[in-house]
Amino acid sequence: MCAHYENIRDPRVIRDHFKAQPTQVPVRADVWPGYLGSFIMRSPQADYGDEAVAERVEVPGVFGLLPHWAKDDKLSRHTYNARSETVAEKPSFRDSWRKARHCIIPAAAIWEPDWGSGKAVAMRIGRADGQPMGIAGLWDQWRNPKGEWIYSC
């Protein structure tokens, strides 16, 4: 994935397009590694058989996976791109992969550099029909030095 994406902040889009319960936590519009964005995961209570519980929930989380062993949140600047060839072996991703902690990162667009001019020019990439994109991801939880649990993807 890219290192910069536009997060979807409209709760109606999360609810209607992704069929997920929106978060109540405000998240950034533009997200880079280490920034708070959001992702969609299967609700931990989805298997209880309670129809009042949403099957999917939007969760605020740091963009860049923070495995349980991370010493600080700076690791997220290097763990936003898992490669299919190595995801099962790389220490940063393997636990989330083995535990099937799959998620969807809702995005209005991604930004990539265009090197056609010899210099990096930011280019916005979105769907032609203007609909949101769902980018495959992995999620984890990390306990920060203050003892708080932080989600990341």
Side-chain angles (χ1 to χ4, degrees):
M1 183 172 165
C2 62
H4 174 199
Y5 73 95
E6 287 178 35
N7 200 20
I8 295 172
R9 299 187 315 163
D10 185 345
R12 293 172 299 188
V13 174
I14 298 301
R15 185 180 54 250
D16 299 340
H17 186 82
F18 293 101
K19 309 294 187 240
Q21 178 65 41
T23 182
Q24 302 300 314
V25 177
V27 293
R28 297 182 65 100
D30 287 304
V31 182
W32 287 269
Y35 284 52
L36 185 66
S38 69
F39 64 94
I40 297 167
M41 64 184 243
R42 183 170 168 77
S43 173
Q45 294 85 20
D47 292 331
Y48 294 163
D50 185 350
E51 292 178 13
V53 174
E55 186 172 336
R56 291 180 210 85
V57 293
E58 181 188 25
V59 178
V62 173
F63 178 45
L65 200 69
L66 292 168
H68 66 89
W69 49 263
K71 293 189 183 352
D72 59 39
D73 61 0
K74 291 183 178 78
L75 183 64
S76 66
R77 298 179 196 157
H78 306 284
T79 55
Y80 61 91
N81 239 350
R83 298 183 187 277
S84 62
E85 303 88 345
T86 58
V87 70
E89 290 88 35
K90 291 283 185 182
S92 298
F93 306 114
R94 68 178 169 218
D95 286 346
S96 290
W97 181 257
R98 287 181 187 153
K99 293 176 181 175
R101 290 183 168 169
H102 304 136
C103 67
I104 299 169
I105 301 169
I110 61 173
W111 290 85
E112 286 290 340
D114 178 359
W115 292 92
S117 67
K119 295 182 180 179
V121 177
M123 185 171 69
R124 185 180 189 273
I125 302 168
R127 287 181 43 164
D129 62 5
Q131 292 294 309
M133 298 185 286
I135 301 165
L138 296 171
W139 67 271
D140 207 342
Q141 278 188 302
W142 170 70
R143 189 184 297 258
N144 71 12
K146 295 178 185 177
E148 303 163 323
W149 284 102
I150 306 293
Y151 281 106
S152 66
C153 65

